[in-house]
Amino acid sequence: MTNLSQVSYFIFSAYFDTGPFKYLYFTIVMSLYVFIFGSNLLLIVVICVNRSLHEPMYMFLCSLFVNELYGSTGLFPFLLLQILSDVHTVSAPLCFLQIFCLYTYANIEFYNLAIMSYDRYLAICYPLQQGSSISYHTHMTLNKVAKLIVLTWLFPILNIVVMISLNASLQLCGHTVDTLYCNNYSVMKLACFDTTVNNIYGLVYTFTVLIGLAFLNLFTYVKILKVCFSGSKQTRQKAISTCTPHLASLLNFSFGCFFEIVQSRFNMSRAPMILRVFLSIYFLTCQPVFNPVLYGLKLTKIQLICKSLLFGKI
């Protein structure tokens, strides 16, 4: 029996020998990471340097793109090293650092998408209800936007720090995890004794915060749909053009997180290895690719500025 301070490394058993194909896989993953990094960074720069985009919706988008860079950087360099390595291990401190990065990324993503839903609700519903677009800017000032973005990052970070602190007190009876990267539940399964406190904290956090954010998203879109059906054709078109990318992003990330929960909580040993790999990395790879492509193509302002920046003309 050893405790966490005596576990110096973890072994990943989910990797398999790919032989000479590892260089092909490395190239594919590296290309994906370069695309994610370049596309998200481009949109961050576009939003920051263009004053016409210094509006609440685009500020929240900028926060979302920064989070995509943060989350993908917590995964991709690690994956690239593991693909080329013959021994798939990681030191305990780096493993918990990766857990911190990936779990804060997932939580910040949910918070950010919920705040963006609330912003779209105010932008679409309040001007229509009160007959003036001033209502939206009264409720969503730049000062309020800054506070919401800070809370979107600060609150998840504090909660994940508590989670990792609880895990640090666990006594571990092994160091082999059946995953491609470090995650909280896989480490908890190595505990020698009862993990009731850790499970209670996870359940309380899930039902009070994450379920609360889900209800906020549901409430805002029910209200938006109600206004759209009772409004004019122009109103419906405006709502669809601004809400479609966000709703698609929210559904994509929710399904990705659901896949990860299924992968970590249930016995998937009988499932094909390629399916297990896909389920493990879907929400960490597809979302950072999905968001910049979706918002870059769908939102006209961003699309025109990107064309001007890349090709020197609109």
Side-chain angles (χ1 to χ4, degrees):
M1 184 184 303
T2 56
N3 60 30
L4 183 61
S5 62
Q6 295 171 319
V7 174
S8 60
Y9 66 95
F10 292 97
I11 300 172
F12 299 100
S13 62
Y15 288 92
F16 54 94
D17 183 21
T18 57
F21 289 103
K22 68 181 180 181
Y23 299 105
L24 174 62
Y25 297 144
F26 177 88
T27 303
I28 294 172
V29 174
M30 184 66 181
S31 300
L32 185 61
Y33 181 49
V34 169
F35 174 80
I36 289 172
F37 195 90
S39 58
N40 282 281
L41 183 62
L42 172 64
L43 294 178
I44 292 169
V45 171
V46 165
I47 293 172
C48 289
V49 302
N50 287 274
R51 295 186 63 86
S52 63
L53 298 181
H54 291 180
E55 301 174 7
M57 181 178 73
Y58 298 105
M59 293 291 99
F60 292 130
L61 272 179
C62 188
S63 175
L64 191 72
F65 296 142
V66 170
N67 191 45
E68 306 301 357
L69 286 182
Y70 169 67
S72 58
T73 301
L75 175 70
F76 278 92
F78 174 84
L79 280 182
L80 292 170
L81 289 174
Q82 293 297 327
I83 289 172
L84 293 180
S85 177
D86 295 324
V87 181
H88 306 292
T89 62
V90 66
S91 66
L94 286 180
C95 184
F96 275 83
L97 177 62
Q98 185 176 55
I99 291 174
F100 173 80
C101 291
L102 298 185
Y103 276 65
T104 50
Y105 159 74
N107 280 264
I108 291 168
E109 193 83 359
F110 267 124
Y111 277 75
N112 216 127
L113 290 172
I115 294 300
M116 290 171 67
S117 295
Y118 175 65
D119 174 68
R120 291 300 83 206
Y121 160 70
L122 290 179
I124 293 171
C125 297
Y126 266 71
L128 293 173
Q129 291 175 354
Q130 301 184 15
S132 173
S133 60
I134 299 177
S135 303
Y136 167 70
H137 295 289
T138 302
H139 283 86
M140 193 61 71
T141 63
L142 289 180
N143 185 45
K144 186 175 182 179
V145 170
K147 290 179 180 178
L148 288 172
I149 291 175
V150 170
L151 290 176
T152 296
W153 284 77
L154 183 61
F155 195 64
I157 289 173
L158 292 176
N159 280 281
I160 300 305
V161 166
V162 173
M163 182 193 75
I164 292 180
S165 299
L166 289 173
N167 285 348
S169 64
L170 292 174
Q171 290 182 315
L172 305 181
C173 290
H175 49 65
T176 301
V177 292
D178 188 26
T179 58
L180 294 173
Y181 54 86
C182 294
N183 68 62
N184 183 59
Y185 190 68
S186 295
V187 173
M188 282 181 58
K189 288 194 294 186
L190 299 176
C192 305
F193 299 115
D194 190 29
T195 58
T196 302
V197 174
N198 304 66
N199 286 323
I200 289 175
Y201 177 80
L203 289 173
V204 170
Y205 178 74
T206 299
F207 281 98
T208 58
V209 178
L210 299 184
I211 299 299
L213 294 177
F215 274 111
L216 175 61
N217 282 302
L218 180 62
F219 169 80
T220 55
Y221 278 103
V222 167
K223 289 290 187 179
I224 289 172
L225 286 174
K226 183 179 179 181
V227 171
C228 288
F229 283 121
S230 62
S232 63
K233 182 179 179 180
Q234 184 180 3
T235 299
R236 288 195 294 270
Q237 289 178 340
K238 177 185 177 182
I240 291 172
S241 65
T242 58
C243 292
T244 298
H246 174 71
L247 187 57
S249 177
L250 178 62
L251 291 174
N252 179 68
F253 190 68
S254 298
F255 281 123
C257 290
F258 174 75
F259 292 156
E260 171 58 18
I261 292 171
V262 170
Q263 165 79 352
S264 62
R265 294 283 176 167
F266 298 96
N267 185 7
M268 300 286 291
S269 59
R270 295 185 179 181
M273 181 59 71
I274 189 65
L275 176 62
R276 294 171 61 190
V277 170
F278 175 78
L279 293 177
S280 293
I281 63 175
Y282 179 86
F283 84 107
L284 293 169
T285 56
C286 289
Q287 190 74 356
V289 172
F290 191 73
N291 278 342
V293 172
L294 186 66
Y295 287 107
L297 293 176
K298 194 67 178 177
L299 298 181
T300 305
K301 277 189 176 182
I302 291 181
Q303 185 181 22
L304 292 176
I305 294 174
C306 284
K307 285 183 179 180
S308 176
L309 184 64
L310 293 174
F311 304 111
K313 59 181 180 179
I314 299 180

